[in-house]
Amino acid sequence: MSINIQQSVKCPSCEQMSDVTVWSSITVKDSPDLKKDLLAGKINMFKCPSCSAAGLMPHPMLYNDEEKRLLISFSPTNDEVLKEQLYEKVRDSSRESGELEKFEGWNLRFVTDYNELLEKILIFDSGFDDKTIEVIKLMVLSQDVDKSEQRKCLFGKAEGDNIEFMIHDFIENQLFTSVVPKETYNTIYKSLIESGMKPYSFDWERVDGIYATRLLNGFNNNF
C-alpha cells in the first residue's frame, strides 16, 4: 500500500509556510501513476508557492515493485557515518521482524541518493541486473583512470543493441555519454554468475561502486 502524510514546511529561502504531500511508501501494483511521478522527479519534492524555491524533502521512502521483485529502502543523506547507521538499522529491523522471509528471491536495495533510487528502478525496469551494471560502470570510468575520481557514471537507457551510460565530470562541469553493447553486459553477467554471484538478495544490500569492486575481487553477494 502506498502511504503519504501532509507536512507543513517553511521555505528555507523566503520562510513562507506551505503544505506538502510526502510519500513514505510507494507500492507500484497499487499506484502505477506514483511510479511515473517518481521517475519524473515529482515525488517528495518541495516547491515554494511564493518564491519557487525547490528541493528534495529529506524523508525516507520504501519502494515496492512486486512484478520486478524489487524492494528499495531510500534514506536521503550525504553523511557517510549516518549512511552506515541507517543501513544497519534497516537490516537489523528486517531480521528482528522476520520480514526477510516474505522477500525470498527478491532484490532488496538500500540507497541514500535520489538519483541512485531512480537509477535502480530504471535498471530493473530494463531487465538488467544492477550488480552487473555497477561493474560495467567501473569499466566505463576506468577508460580515463586519471579522471575517474572526479566523475560519476549512471545508467541511462537501453536502446537497440546498446546500453547508454551518462557520465558527469564534476571538476570540468561536463556531461557526456558512453555506449556499451548489450552483448558485453551478457558476457559479464554470465561470468559473474559463474563466479558465484546470486541474482537475488539474502539480505538488504548496498549495490554501488564499492560493491562492484568486491565482486571483481572475487566476493559474491553472500557476505
Side-chain angles (χ1 to χ4, degrees):
M1 180 174 66
S2 298
I3 302 171
N4 69 67
I5 59 174
Q6 295 293 317
Q7 284 190 351
S8 293
V9 179
K10 179 188 289 187
C11 175
S13 181
C14 71
E15 299 189 346
Q16 173 74 31
M17 296 296 296
S18 59
D19 292 332
V20 180
T21 299
V22 180
W23 291 92
S24 56
S25 176
I26 293 179
T27 301
V28 175
K29 183 175 67 174
D30 300 332
S31 313
D33 288 342
L34 281 178
K35 176 182 177 179
K36 293 179 182 178
D37 287 343
L38 177 61
L39 290 174
K42 298 179 180 179
I43 296 294
N44 292 0
M45 288 294 182
F46 165 78
K47 185 172 182 179
C48 179
S50 178
C51 70
S52 297
L56 174 68
M57 295 290 293
H59 191 81
M61 182 177 68
L62 187 67
Y63 176 88
N64 185 323
D65 189 336
E66 185 176 339
E67 180 184 349
K68 300 293 188 301
R69 300 174 75 81
L70 174 66
L71 194 66
I72 305 176
S73 177
F74 171 56
S75 297
T77 181
N78 292 318
D79 186 287
E80 293 300 327
V81 174
L82 184 56
K83 284 181 184 180
E84 189 61 32
Q85 292 174 344
L86 291 171
Y87 177 49
E88 291 300 326
K89 183 178 180 180
V90 168
R91 297 185 72 179
D92 292 344
S93 176
S94 293
R95 291 168 180 170
E96 293 170 2
S97 67
E99 71 172 3
L100 282 176
E101 297 177 5
K102 299 188 301 182
F103 297 104
E104 184 177 354
W106 283 53
N107 278 299
L108 311 181
R109 299 290 182 264
F110 176 84
V111 301
T112 57
D113 179 82
Y114 193 77
N115 287 328
E116 186 181 0
L117 167 65
L118 304 186
E119 180 190 39
K120 293 294 182 189
I121 296 171
L122 291 174
I123 289 172
F124 283 94
D125 276 0
S126 299
F128 297 123
D129 167 73
D130 64 332
K131 297 171 184 177
T132 306
I133 291 294
E134 288 296 335
V135 169
I136 294 176
K137 285 163 61 176
L138 287 182
M139 294 170 58
V140 169
L141 291 175
S142 70
Q143 293 175 359
D144 194 340
V145 178
D146 293 338
K147 296 183 178 181
S148 61
E149 294 296 324
Q150 67 191 52
R151 293 177 174 178
K152 185 175 181 64
C153 181
L154 289 172
F155 173 86
K157 62 182 178 180
E159 194 169 60
D161 295 328
N162 296 314
I163 305 172
E164 184 177 278
F165 292 86
M166 306 298 296
I167 302 162
H168 182 201
D169 190 308
F170 297 98
I171 302 299
E172 299 179 3
N173 195 26
Q174 291 185 341
L175 185 66
F176 51 95
T177 62
S178 179
V179 175
V180 175
K182 285 184 180 178
E183 187 58 38
T184 299
Y185 167 89
N186 293 334
T187 299
I188 295 174
Y189 176 77
K190 180 180 178 181
S191 176
L192 290 173
I193 290 293
E194 291 175 347
S195 70
M197 183 189 79
K198 302 297 188 295
Y200 51 83
S201 299
F202 294 95
D203 202 340
W204 287 96
E205 297 176 292
R206 295 174 64 179
V207 178
D208 50 18
I210 295 175
Y211 190 100
T213 300
R214 289 176 173 174
L215 280 179
L216 293 176
N217 288 334
F219 293 93
N220 59 42
N221 64 332
N222 189 13
F223 62 85

